[in-house]
Amino acid sequence: EPQRGRRAQPADARSHPAGELTAAFRNLSQQSTLPDLTEAECMTTLLISHPACLDHATPPGHPERADRLRAIDEVLNSERLQFLTRANAPEASFDTIALCHSELEIGEIRHIAPKEGIVHIDGDTSMSPGSLEAMLRSAGGALAPADAVMTGKAANAFVATRPPGHH
């Protein structure tokens, strides 16, 4: 019996606090209350993601983990959403990153990027061997769809990348 004031979680969500969100995403595509979308409605929505974003490893138990992106991908790959225009997130260049971050910050991140294991940058932020590419793909994944929408190549966009960072 759940504690008073707390919602009961699905059995698969009990292992982690973010598991309830993961279960909700998985169930979303099976709900009949969602409207049917026509091909014309979906074709102008650009979906940006990249497999490298799954390679940013976080410590066990950290709420920001690859399983969150996998759950989103599972829903977005459902049959009813196959009309979305899909593209891989490009890597942002370090020159582009330098528009928002100092050369010193960029250099420090590049220097501490591990070849193996996990490096802790602060109490909540870590890097793994796949983190640097994932970071660049996340930044590029934010910029490319903005350009596509501003130039009329897409009506709107959804970006499924990680790590989320502070942006």
Side-chain angles (χ1 to χ4, degrees):
E1 181 175 319
Q3 293 177 345
R4 186 173 171 80
R6 295 186 66 173
R7 294 186 321 182
Q9 294 181 327
D12 65 334
R14 293 187 182 132
S15 62
H16 197 280
E20 187 172 348
L21 179 61
T22 300
F25 275 123
R26 286 191 177 128
N27 292 331
L28 184 61
S29 65
Q30 299 169 0
Q31 293 179 2
S32 61
T33 57
L34 294 174
D36 288 331
L37 302 176
T38 66
E39 182 173 337
E41 290 172 317
C42 293
M43 284 185 16
T44 59
T45 297
L46 178 61
L47 170 60
I48 300 283
S49 193
H50 199 280
C53 295
L54 296 170
D55 295 334
H56 165 62
T58 54
H62 195 283
E64 201 298 298
R65 61 190 194 280
D67 286 343
R68 292 174 61 184
L69 186 54
R70 284 187 191 101
I72 292 168
D73 284 344
E74 186 176 321
V75 171
L76 293 174
N77 285 321
S78 68
E79 184 177 328
R80 66 186 318 256
L81 297 175
Q82 290 306 301
F83 296 112
L84 296 172
T85 302
R86 297 159 193 271
N88 279 328
E91 280 190 0
S93 69
F94 286 108
D95 288 340
T96 300
I97 301 296
L99 296 171
C100 298
H101 296 285
S102 72
E103 295 289 337
L104 178 63
E105 291 170 316
I106 294 168
E108 287 176 357
I109 291 295
R110 291 177 81 176
H111 177 73
I112 64 171
K115 300 277 189 231
E116 59 184 46
I118 292 179
V119 171
H120 295 274
I121 297 172
D122 62 32
D124 191 48
T125 309
S126 60
M127 287 185 76
S128 68
S131 296
L132 189 58
E133 182 180 357
M135 290 174 188
L136 295 173
R137 297 282 181 184
S138 289
L143 296 171
D147 288 343
V149 170
M150 295 301 293
T151 60
K153 293 178 183 172
N156 54 61
F158 181 83
V159 180
T161 60
R162 58 182 291 275
H166 61 276
H167 297 285

